[in-house]
Amino acid sequence: MIQISSKDARAFAMSPLAKPTVYVVDDDADVLGSLRFLLETDGFNVRTFRNGASLLNAVDSTGVDCFVIDYKMPDMNGIDLAGRLRNRDIAAPVILITGYPDENISARAEAAGVRHVLMKPLLDESLVTRIRGAIQESGPAGG
């Protein structure tokens, strides 16, 4: 049996061979499909959810490197969802996406532990760059 130290496991998780896992939440099926395509093309494992409740039912504190969450959804907004993730001690970074400019959204998002807010329509490279940066800042999933 081969044993791998936690240091080696962490190094592998951060290596270019390991695919980071991103969970995407948006109530618009077309947006979900586009984001899945974009992120998978850029080398991410992607899991999509149509609402906050389905994400909360599926997620645990490990295995997710980053969340991309839409702000405006019917069941709960993205800031509330991010707050619920934090209440469960899920520390993976959250990138909030929104098509509704609001002068207070960044302050409210920051209060919920969200450090990145991007406007729709998404700038493809901007989203990928933010995800990679957020993952690098926070370390590998479950770490």
Side-chain angles (χ1 to χ4, degrees), residues 31-106:
V31 171
L32 276 182
S34 295
L35 289 176
R36 175 187 287 279
F37 178 78
L38 168 71
L39 297 176
E40 286 179 343
T41 300
D42 256 283
F44 294 99
N45 288 319
V46 180
R47 190 153 174 214
T48 59
F49 302 88
R50 294 286 304 270
N51 57 57
S54 62
L55 170 74
L56 291 171
N57 287 334
V59 73
D60 64 23
S61 62
T62 62
V64 182
D65 293 290
C66 188
F67 295 93
V68 176
I69 300 175
D70 185 31
Y71 171 66
K72 191 166 184 146
M73 297 182 288
D75 64 332
M76 71 183 80
N77 72 46
I79 293 173
D80 292 340
L81 179 55
R84 290 184 186 196
L85 291 170
R86 297 300 179 244
N87 288 341
R88 291 184 175 189
D89 294 324
I90 297 173
V94 173
I95 297 173
L96 188 72
I97 57 175
T98 182
Y100 299 91
D102 176 338
E103 60 192 42
N104 298 320
I105 196 167
S106 291

Side-chain angles (χ1 to χ4, degrees), residues 13-14 19-22 44 64-67 92-93 95 116 128-141:
M14 294 176 64
K19 285 184 165 188
T21 299
V22 178
F44 294 99
V64 182
D65 293 290
C66 188
F67 295 93
I95 297 173
H116 306 279
V128 170
T129 300
R130 289 282 177 98
I131 291 170
R132 290 196 188 285
I135 291 170
Q136 191 170 35
E137 288 170 14
S138 68

